[in-house]
């Protein structure tokens, strides 16, 4: 996407280009704060639901009180929807280093701004898991159990919920991050997109991705989410973290190239 002119308004949608920091628009600090807060919300809601509510046990009559995979998937999607409309108008609402790199690869975001965005996203995610650890420490034994369980980190092999190996994790992260970026690039297109529903569509797509892939590797498609969880997950999740940094970025970059070279072509 090209930079909006100062006199233009920025639609309140997810994952648009950053508004220009002018007297009429948000400052650079506000833009980076919006990215940090949006990623904070995403990790707090998504990872928090996995740690606190996914497997809460059963009631006296045997009814499950946990939200399970479906609830966690919805939590990730709903946080994106909320962040899109709350912070998207300020920063464009990436909340994900892979999204930032994918948009830059597609020519819809300036490469010079990617570093600041990625730092803000990682900081926001780490703040969220730090607060989750603080909350959990108020319950005796909770933090130790969450730490031993990997703190909802991504993983393969013994760390995969379904026992899937590294190949499965790599394919999932490349494929589904690419799909995610193609949806983002399509629904936020400056002429063919649908700004009013972009945040909702993107959030529902992230929900679908989690519904399919949580059993494989706990679903990353977002290196900031993976870093934030692995920081409290122990040595094994940290050792596998490189997969969930590298391959979501590979999938996003491939989607950016595909969209720019094939799907964004115009009739001559």
């Amino acid at each position: 996407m090209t930079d909006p002119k100062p006199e233009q308004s920025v639609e309140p949608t997810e994952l648009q280009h950053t508004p220009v920091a002018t007297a009429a628009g948000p400052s650079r600090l506000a833009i980076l704060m919006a990215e940090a807060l949006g990623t904070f919300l995403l990790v707090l809601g998504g990872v928090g639901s996995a740690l606190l509510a996914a497997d809460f046990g059963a009631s006296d009559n045997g009814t499950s009180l946990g939200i399970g995979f479906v609830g966690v998937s919805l939590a990730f999607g709903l946080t994106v929807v909320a962040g899109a409309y709350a912070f998207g108008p300020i920063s464009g609402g990436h909340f994900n280093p892979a999204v930032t790199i994918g948009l830059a690869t597609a020519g819809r975001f300036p490469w010079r701004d990617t570093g600041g965005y990625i730092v803000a996203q990682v900081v926001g995610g780490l703040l969220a898991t730090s607060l989750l650890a603080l909350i959990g420490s108020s319950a005796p034994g909770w933090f130790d159990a969450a730490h031993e369980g990997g703190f909802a980190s991504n993983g393969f092999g013994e760390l995969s919920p379904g026992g899937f190996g590294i190949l499965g994790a790599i394919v999932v992260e490349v494929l589904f991050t690419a799909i995610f970026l193609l949806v983002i690039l399509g629904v936020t297109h400056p002429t063919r997109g649908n700004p009013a529903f972009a945040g909702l569509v993107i959030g529902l797509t992230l929900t679908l991705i989690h519904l399919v892939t949580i059993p494989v590797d706990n679903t990353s498609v977002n290196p900031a989410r993976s870093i934030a969880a692995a920081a409290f997950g122990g040595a094994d999740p940290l050792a596998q973290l490189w997969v969930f940094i590298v391959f979501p970025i590979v999938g996003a970059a491939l989607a950016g190239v595909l969209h720019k070279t094939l799907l964004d072509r115009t009739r001559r």
Side-chain angles (χ1 to χ4, degrees), residues 69-70 73 155-157 159-165 172 208-219:
F69 286 173
V70 173
S73 299
F156 52 85
L159 303 185
S160 162
F164 293 85
V172 157
L208 174 62
I209 289 169
H210 278 78
L211 286 170
V212 176
T213 64
I214 284 177
V216 178
D217 63 0
N218 256 351
T219 311

Side-chain angles (χ1 to χ4, degrees), residues 173-265:
E173 294 304 323
V174 172
L175 175 62
F176 283 91
T177 310
I179 291 169
F180 191 39
L181 261 293
L182 289 174
V183 171
I184 290 167
L185 289 164
V187 77
T188 62
H189 193 277
T191 59
R192 298 192 296 266
N194 191 332
F197 292 100
L200 180 60
V201 170
I202 293 165
L204 289 174
T205 302
L206 188 60
T207 298
L208 174 62
I209 289 169
H210 278 78
L211 286 170
V212 176
T213 64
I214 284 177
V216 178
D217 63 0
N218 256 351
T219 311
S220 174
V221 302
N222 185 338
R225 170 261 190 270
S226 298
I227 292 168
F232 292 91
D236 290 339
L238 284 170
Q240 295 187 359
L241 178 60
W242 67 274
V243 169
F244 305 102
I245 295 174
V246 172
F247 291 102
I249 290 173
V250 169
L254 288 173
V257 171
L258 175 63
H259 192 275
K260 183 176 182 179
T261 58
L262 296 177
L263 299 179
D264 207 23
R265 296 174 69 91

Side-chain angles (χ1 to χ4, degrees), residues 42-115:
L42 171 65
V43 174
L44 188 73
V47 174
S49 68
L51 289 171
L52 299 171
D55 186 19
F56 195 73
S59 66
D60 292 340
N61 62 9
T63 304
S64 174
L65 298 175
I67 61 174
F69 286 173
V70 173
V72 173
S73 299
L74 283 169
F76 273 101
L78 289 172
T79 57
V80 167
V81 173
Y85 294 107
F87 306 115
I90 301 172
S91 68
H94 301 186
F95 315 147
N96 181 339
V99 169
T100 297
I101 290 173
L103 291 174
T105 304
R108 300 263 290 274
F109 186 77
W111 281 104
R112 67 179 180 274
D113 292 337
T114 56

Side-chain angles (χ1 to χ4, degrees), residues 143-159:
F143 180 81
D144 289 339
H147 176 74
E148 294 217 2
F151 217 80
S153 296
N154 302 112
F156 52 85
E158 291 184 356
L159 303 185

